[in-house]
Amino acid sequence: MTDAQALVKTLDFQLDTQSGNEGLLYDATLEARSVYNETIRLAKKGVDWDAIPDRVADDANLVKNTTQRVVAKALGAMENYYEYDDFGQPSHTKDGVYPLRANFTEGYNLSLTDDGDVAFRISAKPYKHVKGVLKGSEPHLDILKTALENDEWKIGTAEALFHNDNPELHVNLTNTEQTVRDKHDSRTAVGVDVNEDNVALTALSEGGVEDTLVIDFPEIKFERHRYFTMRKRAQNAGKDSIHDTLEGREKRLVRDRLHKVSRHIVEWSRQFEKPCIVFEDLKEMRDSIDYGTRMNRRLHHLPFRALQFYTSYKASFEGIPTAWIDPAYTSQRCPMCGHTERANRHKKRFKCKSCEHQDHSDRGASVNIAVKGVKKLDWNVPALNSLPVVRKVRRQASGVVDAPTVTHPTARGYQADGRMGVSD
Ligand SMILES: [Zn+2]
């Protein structure tokens, strides 16, 4: 593995170190700076670059693998920097700390604890480890936990460093084979409408709607409500530890389910020609006008962003790009005639006040999202004369099962269909 492999994502964490350990890490980052400077010094002296790692490693008070990573980075800087001193030599040595760069399982290691945390162990000095647990944003922690549990994710090098005097670990997740296609080189826009108890998908090409699917996950909603009640009960009884245990359990359960749903979305999208997965941009949603109760419910009752994040992340591992659109009116606009008003929608039922078009309302929203995606990708929006029947699948802990009869009329009537060939 070299540093030149396709970098997919860097996840940033704070290091919650055990007492006394932080100073050890600080010393090591100072040592990394001297390794860096020594590498530059030797290279400027004309020492053969191949000989530099061993020469530096002999004197460095770091584990060998980490020394090698820092030397490699310094030599890379030599090649790429264009800053020269008065003698025409590269001059970019500095004082202070320098990130401690390490390979996964060599210079640092990560593991899941029984409490659902991620424990780290960084070999700061030979035979001296800095240990503790990672703190950070929930999506980043979740992705890292998935990577630790799953072979399809590759954890690469990490850098331990001090940011505003606080120790951090920046972990690279890498994929050696796949790169993400440019989204403008897409032929199918897959609109994803995320709701509290389902996601609706519509694949739109220049020829029209290719297919559509609604993945129901009532279990997630049900479990979240169940845990909410249990946690409240524990809290009222003053049993904070039980409350925290329940909270951790709920998070793991929901995370696990959302990962499966996101995998399903990516699997479904893969069948189309050059897909680009299109999401509503939550940031624009919050900054923009009032979207009403439906939007508020979606924002507060579902780890909405987490599902988008997991899906875009998994898609990138398949080389599939994602695009983000302004969510304004996606649930109120008629995909057939363009007429837009709030009264078009009644819960899961859409009925256009202008052209009488009827549909499963979330599917209709996913069509609108796909249409906005197509506009964003600069294709011509195809004329939508008819929409395919809504196919539904239900996702439960046991996997995908056939959905019950669809209770929402579509343009063509009722249909229950579509067991997907996706395994967990
Ligand atoms: Zn209409």
Side-chain angles (χ1 to χ4, degrees), residues 186-204:
S186 299
R187 303 295 294 267
T188 313
V190 178
V192 182
D193 182 61
V194 184
N195 299 286
E196 191 182 6
D197 52 4
N198 73 28
V199 289
L201 311 174
T202 289
L204 184 66

Side-chain angles (χ1 to χ4, degrees), residues 44 167 199 234-235 249 268 386:
K44 283 165 79 170
V199 289
Q235 203 168 29
R249 233 183 254 165
W268 189 80
S386 68

Side-chain angles (χ1 to χ4, degrees), residues 201-202 209-214 268 359-360 363 386-392 406 408-418:
L201 311 174
T202 289
V209 173
E210 299 286 335
D211 200 2
T212 187
L213 180 73
V214 174
W268 189 80
D359 199 356
H360 182 294
R363 188 276 280 275
S386 68
L387 298 176
V389 292
V390 174
R391 304 192 308 123
K392 290 183 103 188
V406 174
H408 309 285
T410 68
R412 294 184 194 169
Y414 294 82
Q415 171 102 3
D417 184 23

Side-chain angles (χ1 to χ4, degrees), residues 333-340 344 350-357:
R333 178 185 172 275
C334 173
M336 307 309 282
C337 75
H339 177 72
T340 301
N344 279 347
F350 184 95
K351 186 177 178 192
C352 180
K353 293 277 181 269
S354 173
C355 76
E356 303 281 297
H357 166 68

